[in-house]
Amino acid sequence: MDTEQEVKRATELIDQKLALEEERQKVCSCPPAQPPEVARLDTPLLEDEKKHGPANKGIEGLKGQERVRKSSVDLRREIIEVGGTQYLFELRKKPKKKKEEKKPEPEPEEITGPVTEEDFLRAAVHGKLHVVEKFLADGGSPDTCDEFRRTALHRVSLEGHTEIVEKLLAKGATVDFRDRLDSTAVHWACRGGHLDIVKLLQEKGADLNVKDKLLSTPLHVATRTGMIDIVEYLIDNGVDVNACDREGESALHDAVRLNRYKIIKMLIQHGANMLAKNMAGKTPVDLVQLWQADTREVLEKQEPNATEMPA
């Protein structure tokens, strides 16, 4: 079987697996059947009776003190019979509480003194734009970093504070500044799953094929964290789908190991090499055998009773 047929075969089987998983999710997401109305009824009388015994001993006597309640349904039905109905009528008469209006966010506190580097970096994490603006307005460097060489741009890219990313870039933050592990803001944005920030960074010249100390690219990071929209964006913008990390593994190796079915399909359709070997001499299909027997069935053979899916 040639490579083109292998790709087509793998794509068909992955489609098949996805369809089966979606069907399982639909079944799991069906709302459970509602129990009878009486079974779901609850009143303060029930709690009171649990603590102090029957509220109306006279009627209880008429019903027979020797009666054994077999279930909470019986107990609740009895409460209704001996006076709980009156409580329900009173409850209906009570006016419904109006939904509390969402209070507007408080105005940011006025900053009187200078902002320290530590406060600047902490403000970036928590999305406090006014603190970041004060630090920059006072001449602070947008590339200020901590002991791990993580800048404010790294932090806000992970947290998803788009407005602060725009402010930092406008003030000249180095878009491909590397932390101690050589990760850039693009790596952090992929880890956090923030496609809008990946786009902003690319517009400012960020390298989408940049590698960290483990030789992981943004595509590796987005694949490992399951960020399908970012994977698709990176591929559409021409990243190397067969780039390998320090272990010699491509994004396809990672996707197979982690059962990222949609990403597997996307990578194969865009030229990922199914026969590429890592440093241990294993291809993505070999990893299926080692890590996930279920995924191996998807790639190598059709499941019984499965519907044939288009390529």
Side-chain angles (χ1 to χ4, degrees), residues 69-137:
R69 299 185 181 94
K70 296 182 179 179
S71 69
S72 60
V73 175
D74 294 333
L75 177 59
R76 290 171 181 176
R77 186 179 292 114
E78 183 178 326
I79 290 171
I80 293 175
E81 292 172 358
V82 300
T85 309
Q86 183 62 34
Y87 171 78
L88 293 178
F89 283 132
E90 291 175 1
L91 187 63
R92 287 179 183 177
K93 292 177 183 178
K94 291 181 181 180
K96 293 182 180 180
K97 292 183 180 180
K98 293 182 179 179
K99 291 183 179 180
E100 295 183 2
E101 295 183 2
K102 189 176 180 181
K103 296 180 180 179
E105 293 184 4
E107 292 290 328
E109 298 179 3
E110 185 178 352
I111 303 171
T112 54
V115 176
T116 65
E117 292 184 350
E118 184 179 352
D119 288 339
F120 164 64
L121 294 173
R122 187 181 300 113
V125 173
H126 295 291
K128 296 182 178 179
L129 177 61
H130 67 293
V131 178
V132 172
E133 288 178 327
K134 180 67 166 61
F135 178 83
L136 297 173

Side-chain angles (χ1 to χ4, degrees), residues 31-181:
Q34 291 291 337
E37 191 66 24
V38 170
R40 292 186 286 110
L41 179 64
D42 199 3
T43 73
L45 293 176
L46 176 58
E47 294 298 325
D48 190 62
E49 185 168 339
K50 287 179 183 177
K51 295 178 182 178
H52 308 296
N56 193 327
K57 294 183 179 179
I59 298 178
E60 179 65 25
L62 293 175
K63 287 187 168 292
Q65 300 252 350
E66 72 283 357
R67 178 183 175 189
V68 178
R69 299 185 181 94
K70 296 182 179 179
S71 69
S72 60
V73 175
D74 294 333
L75 177 59
R76 290 171 181 176
R77 186 179 292 114
E78 183 178 326
I79 290 171
I80 293 175
E81 292 172 358
V82 300
T85 309
Q86 183 62 34
Y87 171 78
L88 293 178
F89 283 132
E90 291 175 1
L91 187 63
R92 287 179 183 177
K93 292 177 183 178
K94 291 181 181 180
K96 293 182 180 180
K97 292 183 180 180
K98 293 182 179 179
K99 291 183 179 180
E100 295 183 2
E101 295 183 2
K102 189 176 180 181
K103 296 180 180 179
E105 293 184 4
E107 292 290 328
E109 298 179 3
E110 185 178 352
I111 303 171
T112 54
V115 176
T116 65
E117 292 184 350
E118 184 179 352
D119 288 339
F120 164 64
L121 294 173
R122 187 181 300 113
V125 173
H126 295 291
K128 296 182 178 179
L129 177 61
H130 67 293
V131 178
V132 172
E133 288 178 327
K134 180 67 166 61
F135 178 83
L136 297 173
D138 289 345
S141 169
D143 287 335
T144 297
C145 59
D146 61 16
E147 67 272 23
F148 301 105
R149 288 182 55 79
R150 292 176 300 190
T151 65
L153 188 59
H154 287 112
R155 294 173 178 232
V156 295
S157 295
L158 174 65
E159 300 295 337
H161 302 311
T162 306
E163 195 173 358
I164 299 180
V165 171
E166 293 172 338
K167 176 65 66 174
L168 291 167
L169 292 174
K171 287 292 184 178
T174 303
V175 70
D176 281 333
F177 194 102
R178 294 173 178 266
D179 63 17
R180 189 171 288 182
L181 293 177

Side-chain angles (χ1 to χ4, degrees), residues 224-287:
R224 292 165 190 162
T225 50
M227 303 303 174
I228 298 173
D229 55 342
I230 296 181
V231 169
E232 184 176 16
Y233 179 80
L234 294 172
I235 292 174
D236 289 344
N237 281 270
V239 299
D240 182 4
V241 296
N242 289 310
C244 295
D245 62 13
R246 195 169 63 179
E247 301 299 323
E249 297 196 337
S250 65
L252 185 58
H253 283 88
D254 287 331
V256 168
R257 181 184 293 110
L258 296 170
N259 274 354
R260 309 286 191 205
Y261 297 115
K262 291 183 180 179
I263 296 178
I264 292 171
K265 177 181 176 181
M266 201 180 302
L267 291 168
I268 291 174
Q269 288 179 332
H270 288 84
N273 186 358
M274 296 171 60
L275 303 178
K277 294 184 178 181
N278 61 16
M279 298 294 286
K282 302 298 182 183
T283 68
V285 177
D286 293 331
L287 290 183

Side-chain angles (χ1 to χ4, degrees), residues 2-21:
D2 59 25
T3 303
E4 183 177 349
Q5 289 178 319
E6 288 179 356
V7 170
K8 182 178 179 181
R9 173 70 168 169
T11 303
E12 289 176 351
L13 294 174
I14 291 167
D15 275 334
Q16 188 179 108
K17 183 66 176 179
L18 287 172
L20 291 173
E21 289 217 341

